[in-house]
Amino acid sequence: MDESKYVKVNKRDNVAIALNDIPKGTQLAPGVIARHDIPQAHKITLEPIAENGAVIRYGVTLGYVKRDTPAGSWINEDSLVLPVPPALDEMEWGCDIATDLPEPVASTWEGYPAADDGFAGTRNILAIHTTVQCVTGVVNVAVDRIRRELLPSYPHVDDVVPINHAYGCGVAINAPEAKVPIRALRNLLRHPNFGGQTMIVGLGCEKLTVEMLLADQPELNCADNVIILQEHRGFEAMIEAILSMARQKLERLERRRRESLPISKLLVGLQCGGSDAFSGVSANPSAGYAADMLVAAGGTVLFSEVTEVRDGVYLLARRCVSKSVADRLAEEMRWYDTYLELGGVDRSANPTPGNKKGGLSNIVEKAMGSIAKSGTSPIVEVLSPAERPREHGLIYAATPASDIVCGPCQLASGIGVQVFMTGRGTPYGLAAAPVLKLCSRNEMKEQWFDIIDINAGPVATGEKTIAEMGTMVFRKIIEVASGRDQPYSERYGLHNDLCIFNPAPIT
Amino acid sequence: MDESKYVKVNKRDNVAIALNDIPKGTQLAPGVIARHDIPQAHKITLEPIAENGAVIRYGVTLGYVKRDTPAGSWINEDSLVLPVPPALDEMEWGCDIATDLPEPVASTWEGYPAADDGFAGTRNILAIHTTVQCVTGVVNVAVDRIRRELLPSYPHVDDVVPINHAYGCGVAINAPEAKVPIRALRNLLRHPNFGGQTMIVGLGCEKLTVEMLLADQPELNCADNVIILQEHRGFEAMIEAILSMARQKLERLERRRRESLPISKLLVGLQCGGSDAFSGVSANPSAGYAADMLVAAGGTVLFSEVTEVRDGVYLLARRCVSKSVADRLAEEMRWYDTYLELGGVDRSANPTPGNKKGGLSNIVEKAMGSIAKSGTSPIVEVLSPAERPREHGLIYAATPASDIVCGPCQLASGIGVQVFMTGRGTPYGLAAAPVLKLCSRNEMKEQWFDIIDINAGPVATGEKTIAEMGTMVFRKIIEVASGRDQPYSERYGLHNDLCIFNPAPIT
Ligand SMILES: [Ca+2]
Ligand SMILES: [Ca+2]
Ligand SMILES: [Ca+2]
Ligand SMILES: [Ca+2]
Ligand SMILES: [Ca+2]
């Protein structure tokens, strides 16, 4: 068998992934000759599969073939019937609790300690929070001036970031699901990168009042921290008020210094986007290895993306440390099933044309690759979107899979670094925390040599082991978190808008 | 009766609006003595109303009092029970078709003619459209460079505007309601301010492909107009590609010149936000008068905000020119009723704390004031959110009331100017078309003297008639559309994010 041409992940698999384009007629194994041109990253059958037979990758059923399929066939989204999603009732839990996590290669990092003794900051940022989108124009004009006129005098402050969002008014503020965006905005106020300096710009007539935003920190609602535009006489007065408050906050942020901290003070988020069939072979398992090492070192890691774990949820339930954690997992899955159903769709709406071009035939295959980023650690907690963790260890944060929505949710949970795995490539970034990019294929790194931070392609080609690559990822996380290294997206200032998840209606 | 202290809108009304704060004990009319301190813009009963009796303003029932209410009482949101919404089946239509519109004081304006002979441009803007939020970071870096390095060489071009949005991927692209955001992005491509120069930046793996975005203009899908980031080798190459294409487009935009055009080439949008009880007395009726004059001059005017017309829909149906237009109106109302119901709310979720502070007790009262902006013209067409008009005259464009969502919807419909009425004040603005602000009270203009463009307060105090104020608004619209005047928001560059309406789920 010519194993330099393909990757088979699990010994039960009856399909493999083409390492490069495989021309029709290529002999892959005795009796296995490519019957079509197989594009790189796509699946090829290693044995005949009868009509309605299961296509198996990662040891699980991706779907069922529509017709008799000989060995050497190309399997793509058109070949497969999607299986029903796994049941959520009475999932087995706690029967797959790993204890053999990798030995950490570092035990400390350099961060900004949080006043509340929680997770520490990885950057020193002046955040200007907003209650409502209405104030965005004024805040942006002020932020431009702060960047040009004030920031240069505060060399220890990394940036000023407006927390602009589409929420706050013109929404059904009492809708049951309004709690999601409101929680996100409340928890963003507490992000450790903002150094406990609170600065809020409100309008004055919005539904999301400052009182509501600060419901769990009412002591912060005072003139030192809050500017209401309707209370100011004219535009220049508004801008001057914002600049003046920014100066006060910058003075205090300027005094922050990094300290050597245990890894228990580090909160790392993981997500993938623009995935391909190698994502589950190289980039995601390497991130998963790094996650295991972080957990072994006492660190805390979030992974997310509900529609991308839905088909493997029973595998995650087995890793939950208690029935209550497994029950929370099922509850979040049920919520999302209903949310999609109300919109007239289901989990099959997740995969993108790019995923399919990249060889990911359906959501089951995408999910199995996506879950690989969680490594093997026990799951100690499940969070609703944008909740803050209470535990330490591996945590499932149930956010949408959408990169630009998952990002702000994890940011609201308090992540100091996000590791982002990609197969097709996206220039995604967050303004308030560094995003480190890990690609699945050598070709991706060649194409975006100055955007991709780490290339996990050598794992796919067998040049590096997952342990070697995962250790590199772990070290890079520590360097970036400690401010000794900047990912490309941070260097260039590539930032996405802060797209807050709002499952409630607009009025 | 001391009519300098309050405004009564309709002779049937049993409540009036306090022109200023009215202290408890003030005599207003024989037998009408203020029983409470009545805040400015709030309602006071002019006669006793028995328990469950109707409170009437604008000649319609705002709601029913919870208990026996003597004359001189303060009526606020706590006093009233909301009536059931008007039925949508078999509404009377066409029985209130106005023919006595005001004589226009101008018949031409100076605009940029559209190549397709449709509505003309009011500004000359290079728009950089995007398929997906993922590209925002790169596009913003490029736009900064275009502004600094290229734009100064093209003095006839007003601005470069990135059409960044939260849509394009990580969404259920085949959900029934996905048509709304997709239509918005398609129609934004055709906005007359962009001079027929198409420039699109895509990623390469997104769900909203360039093919899908250009489904109704496939001839535009070529290398002259489209940049796919995944096809470029590295970050600098992406930025160079965007700058190089921008230079080509700027060359062509630079040759555009304004021409004298009939008002039939002008499309104006109206909306209100941060309303108070004077909005329906001064600012909105003045805008309505200007709208009538625009229609009389052959112009086209959009008004919107579904939850703010829902309670007066029967009044609008009577103004519809045909049964099919009235049926479309009912259809849009039904769609929104269902949309809100799925989210667990109803139209009562619309009013804001600011509306209530401003004396608007509930959605019925807010709706009656909001509808005043439509003047009296016949309604010739009803549009779904972000549709482009086919008719000329007064058009109902069924968008959310949310200022920041209504704005981009009307922009996608092609408006050249938006007139924005406010009572409490908001610095709202659109990057791609000028927004003119009209306030309802003198105090608002005093407070935001350098943000509010026109003060309709003198209508509330009786110093100016609606016709006088409406004529001023009409003239200002022509000046702003013609580029001879800039509203404050445009001068300062106060722009909200382009919040595209997406009623479909996120995946
Ligand atoms: Ca993903
Ligand atoms: Ca993602
Ligand atoms: Ca309104
Ligand atoms: Ca509005
Ligand atoms: Ca502008």
Side-chain angles (χ1 to χ4, degrees):
Chain A
M1 283 172 63
D2 189 353
E3 295 193 350
S4 67
K5 290 202 169 58
Y6 60 84
V7 198
K8 180 173 157 176
V9 181
N10 185 291
K11 64 179 186 305
R12 290 187 53 218
D13 295 357
N14 56 13
V15 293
I17 303 305
L19 270 171
N20 292 291
D21 291 348
I22 296 179
K24 181 174 172 174
T26 306
Q27 170 115 27
L28 296 168
V32 184
I33 293 167
R35 296 170 57 89
H36 316 91
D37 289 334
I38 315 283
Q40 189 196 35
H42 279 246
K43 285 176 292 303
I44 185 165
T45 53
L46 298 174
E47 54 192 72
I49 309 176
E51 188 181 339
N52 300 323
V55 170
I56 296 171
R57 190 188 167 197
Y58 299 109
V60 306
T61 298
L62 300 187
Y64 303 96
V65 286
K66 294 178 182 169
R67 57 192 69 79
D68 286 343
T69 304
S73 298
W74 178 22
I75 294 288
N76 58 34
E77 64 273 22
D78 299 324
S79 325
L80 288 176
V81 174
L82 194 65
V84 295
L88 295 171
D89 293 328
E90 295 173 27
M91 291 190 291
E92 260 195 325
W93 62 271
C95 53
D96 182 16
I97 301 295
T99 52
D100 54 343
L101 299 179
E103 192 65 35
V105 294
S107 59
T108 60
W109 64 296
E110 303 271 319
Y112 296 98
D116 65 0
D117 202 35
F119 294 109
T122 59
R123 294 295 180 268
N124 189 19
I125 289 172
L126 170 61
I128 304 185
H129 301 270
T130 61
T131 51
V132 64
Q133 167 63 214
C134 305
V135 305
T136 296
V138 171
V139 167
N140 285 347
V141 168
V143 164
D144 273 357
R145 286 193 49 188
I146 295 168
R147 280 225 176 91
R148 281 184 288 116
E149 298 171 24
L150 303 185
L151 209 54
S153 307
Y154 301 93
H156 287 97
V157 181
D158 294 313
D159 204 357
V160 50
V161 173
I163 307 295
N164 291 323
H165 56 86
Y167 200 71
C169 207
V171 295
I173 201 96
N174 295 317
E177 302 310 340
K179 63 176 183 290
V180 178
I182 297 171
R183 176 169 60 219
L185 295 171
R186 280 181 185 153
N187 286 344
L188 279 167
L189 282 164
R190 296 175 177 270
H191 195 284
N193 285 1
F194 307 152
Q197 295 306 315
T198 303
M199 176 164 176
I200 300 173
V201 178
L203 180 57
C205 59
E206 62 273 36
K207 287 183 190 161
L208 181 62
T209 59
V210 174
E211 288 70 24
M212 201 183 290
L213 185 62
L214 287 174
D216 50 0
Q217 308 183 84
E219 70 284 2
L220 295 181
N221 191 358
C222 63
D224 286 349
N225 302 329
V226 177
I227 291 169
I228 301 296
L229 298 187
Q230 287 177 350
E231 294 171 0
H232 287 267
R233 198 154 179 286
F235 177 67
E236 288 305 327
M238 294 173 189
I239 299 292
E240 285 311 319
I242 297 174
L243 263 68
S244 162
M245 187 181 287
R247 208 176 283 113
Q248 301 302 315
K249 304 294 178 185
L250 285 167
E251 292 289 343
R252 278 175 231 141
L253 289 170
E254 180 66 13
R255 297 197 282 269
R256 291 176 88 197
R257 292 294 180 277
R258 290 184 188 270
E259 290 174 20
S260 180
L261 298 170
I263 286 176
S264 59
K265 294 297 182 196
L266 182 59
L267 178 57
V268 174
L270 304 175
Q271 79 155 315
C272 56
S275 298
D276 68 4
F278 285 121
S279 295
V281 174
S282 57
N284 285 344
S286 300
Y289 190 91
D292 281 351
M293 196 179 275
L294 282 163
V295 168
T300 302
V301 176
L302 305 187
F303 74 111
S304 294
E305 303 179 274
V306 173
T307 49
E308 295 181 17
V309 308
R310 182 65 184 84
D311 282 279
V313 63
Y314 58 96
L315 300 171
L316 297 182
R318 292 178 196 155
R319 292 165 55 191
C320 288
V321 295
S322 69
K323 180 163 190 310
S324 67
V325 173
D327 286 348
R328 282 282 295 119
L329 181 66
E331 183 184 10
E332 291 294 335
M333 298 294 122
R334 270 189 212 103
W335 182 91
Y336 220 98
D337 283 355
T338 306
Y339 166 69
L340 292 178
E341 198 184 317
L342 285 175
V345 290
D346 61 26
R347 78 213 197 278
S348 71
N350 173 311
T352 65
N355 292 151
K356 289 170 187 167
K357 267 191 243 169
L360 291 174
S361 298
N362 67 17
I363 185 60
V364 183
E365 183 170 23
K366 188 169 173 179
M368 291 304 143
S370 183
I371 286 175
K373 73 167 84 71
S374 69
T376 63
S377 301
I379 297 169
V380 296
E381 189 176 11
V382 170
L383 302 179
S384 293
E387 271 187 338
R388 284 158 59 88
R390 282 158 295 265
E391 303 295 330
H392 284 71
L394 180 68
I395 293 177
Y396 181 69
T399 79
S402 167
D403 302 347
I404 57 154
V405 177
C406 171
C409 283
Q410 288 196 355
L411 205 60
S413 296
I415 57 162
V417 176
Q418 195 179 55
V419 186
F420 188 94
M421 285 67 73
T422 187
R424 311 287 298 174
T426 143
Y428 161 86
L430 295 167
V435 175
L436 178 55
K437 285 205 193 75
L438 181 58
C439 77
S440 67
R441 290 176 302 136
N442 293 336
E443 291 81 356
M444 176 81 251
K445 176 65 184 173
E446 280 156 29
Q447 179 74 348
W448 279 16
F449 62 96
D450 57 355
I451 296 182
I452 299 297
D453 298 291
I454 304 184
N455 174 25
V459 172
T461 56
E463 296 158 84
K464 280 226 158 38
T465 65
I466 286 172
E468 286 165 341
M469 187 59 62
T471 304
M472 272 179 65
V473 174
F474 174 89
R475 289 191 199 277
K476 184 87 171 181
I477 292 169
I478 299 295
E479 291 302 294
V480 167
S482 301
R484 294 187 294 258
D485 195 355
Q486 283 196 310
Y488 285 113
S489 56
E490 187 177 27
R491 277 183 242 176
Y492 303 140
L494 299 182
H495 303 149
N496 283 92
D497 295 337
L498 201 73
C499 301
I500 295 290
F501 183 35
N502 176 23
I506 302 294
T507 61
Chain B
M1 285 171 63
D2 188 355
E3 295 194 348
S4 68
K5 291 203 170 57
Y6 60 84
V7 199
K8 181 172 156 176
V9 180
N10 185 292
K11 63 179 188 304
R12 290 187 55 217
D13 294 358
N14 58 12
V15 292
I17 304 304
L19 271 171
N20 292 291
D21 291 349
I22 296 179
K24 181 174 171 174
T26 306
Q27 169 115 29
L28 296 169
V32 185
I33 293 167
R35 298 170 57 89
H36 318 91
D37 289 334
I38 315 284
Q40 189 195 34
H42 279 247
K43 284 175 294 303
I44 185 165
T45 53
L46 299 173
E47 53 193 72
I49 308 175
E51 188 183 339
N52 299 324
V55 171
I56 296 170
R57 191 188 166 197
Y58 299 107
V60 306
T61 299
L62 301 187
Y64 304 97
V65 286
K66 294 177 181 167
R67 58 192 68 81
D68 287 342
T69 305
S73 297
W74 178 23
I75 295 289
N76 58 33
E77 65 273 22
D78 298 324
S79 325
L80 288 175
V81 175
L82 193 65
V84 294
L88 295 170
D89 294 327
E90 296 173 27
M91 289 191 291
E92 259 195 325
W93 62 271
C95 53
D96 183 16
I97 300 296
T99 52
D100 54 342
L101 299 179
E103 192 64 36
V105 295
S107 59
T108 60
W109 65 295
E110 305 270 320
Y112 295 98
D116 66 0
D117 202 37
F119 295 108
T122 58
R123 294 293 181 268
N124 188 20
I125 289 172
L126 170 62
I128 304 185
H129 300 271
T130 60
T131 51
V132 65
Q133 167 64 212
C134 305
V135 305
T136 296
V138 171
V139 168
N140 285 347
V141 168
V143 164
D144 273 357
R145 285 194 49 188
I146 295 168
R147 282 225 176 89
R148 282 184 285 115
E149 297 171 25
L150 304 185
L151 208 54
S153 307
Y154 301 93
H156 287 97
V157 181
D158 294 315
D159 205 356
V160 50
V161 172
I163 307 295
N164 290 323
H165 55 86
Y167 200 70
C169 209
V171 295
I173 201 94
N174 295 319
E177 301 310 341
K179 64 176 183 289
V180 178
I182 296 171
R183 176 169 60 219
L185 295 171
R186 280 181 186 154
N187 287 344
L188 279 168
L189 281 164
R190 296 175 177 270
H191 195 284
N193 284 0
F194 307 152
Q197 297 304 316
T198 304
M199 175 163 176
I200 300 172
V201 178
L203 180 58
C205 58
E206 61 274 36
K207 286 183 189 161
L208 181 61
T209 58
V210 175
E211 288 70 25
M212 200 182 290
L213 185 61
L214 287 174
D216 49 1
Q217 308 182 83
E219 70 284 4
L220 295 180
N221 191 357
C222 64
D224 286 349
N225 302 328
V226 178
I227 291 169
I228 300 297
L229 298 186
Q230 286 176 351
E231 293 172 0
H232 287 268
R233 200 156 178 286
F235 177 67
E236 288 304 328
M238 295 173 188
I239 299 292
E240 285 310 320
I242 297 173
L243 264 68
S244 162
M245 187 181 286
R247 208 176 283 114
Q248 301 302 315
K249 305 294 179 186
L250 286 167
E251 291 289 345
R252 279 176 231 142
L253 289 170
E254 180 66 13
R255 298 197 281 270
R256 291 176 88 198
R257 291 294 179 276
R258 290 184 188 270
E259 291 175 19
S260 179
L261 298 171
I263 287 176
S264 59
K265 293 297 181 196
L266 182 59
L267 178 57
V268 173
L270 304 175
Q271 78 154 315
C272 57
S275 299
D276 68 3
F278 286 121
S279 295
V281 174
S282 56
N284 286 345
S286 301
Y289 189 91
D292 281 350
M293 196 179 275
L294 283 163
V295 169
T300 302
V301 176
L302 305 186
F303 74 110
S304 295
E305 302 179 273
V306 173
T307 49
E308 295 181 17
V309 307
R310 182 66 185 83
D311 282 279
V313 64
Y314 58 96
L315 299 171
L316 297 183
R318 291 177 196 158
R319 292 165 56 191
C320 288
V321 296
S322 68
K323 180 164 189 310
S324 67
V325 173
D327 286 348
R328 282 283 294 118
L329 181 66
E331 184 184 9
E332 291 295 336
M333 298 294 122
R334 271 189 212 102
W335 182 91
Y336 220 97
D337 284 356
T338 307
Y339 166 69
L340 292 177
E341 198 184 317
L342 285 175
V345 290
D346 62 26
R347 78 211 198 280
S348 71
N350 173 310
T352 64
N355 292 150
K356 289 171 188 166
K357 267 191 243 167
L360 291 174
S361 296
N362 67 17
I363 184 60
V364 184
E365 184 170 23
K366 188 169 173 180
M368 292 303 145
S370 183
I371 286 175
K373 73 168 82 73
S374 69
T376 63
S377 301
I379 297 169
V380 296
E381 189 176 9
V382 170
L383 303 179
S384 292
E387 271 187 338
R388 283 158 61 87
R390 282 159 296 265
E391 302 297 329
H392 284 72
L394 180 67
I395 293 177
Y396 181 69
T399 78
S402 167
D403 301 347
I404 57 152
V405 178
C406 172
C409 283
Q410 289 195 354
L411 205 61
S413 295
I415 57 163
V417 176
Q418 195 178 55
V419 186
F420 187 95
M421 286 67 74
T422 187
R424 311 287 299 173
T426 144
Y428 161 85
L430 295 168
V435 175
L436 179 55
K437 285 206 193 75
L438 181 59
C439 78
S440 66
R441 291 175 301 136
N442 294 335
E443 291 81 355
M444 176 81 250
K445 176 65 183 171
E446 280 156 29
Q447 180 75 348
W448 280 16
F449 62 96
D450 58 354
I451 297 183
I452 299 297
D453 298 292
I454 303 184
N455 173 25
V459 172
T461 56
E463 296 158 84
K464 280 226 160 36
T465 64
I466 286 172
E468 286 166 341
M469 187 58 63
T471 305
M472 271 180 63
V473 173
F474 174 88
R475 289 190 199 277
K476 184 88 171 180
I477 291 170
I478 299 295
E479 292 302 292
V480 167
S482 301
R484 294 188 293 259
D485 194 356
Q486 283 194 310
Y488 285 113
S489 56
E490 187 177 26
R491 278 182 240 174
Y492 303 140
L494 299 182
H495 302 150
N496 283 90
D497 295 338
L498 201 72
C499 300
I500 295 290
F501 183 36
N502 177 22
I506 302 293
T507 60

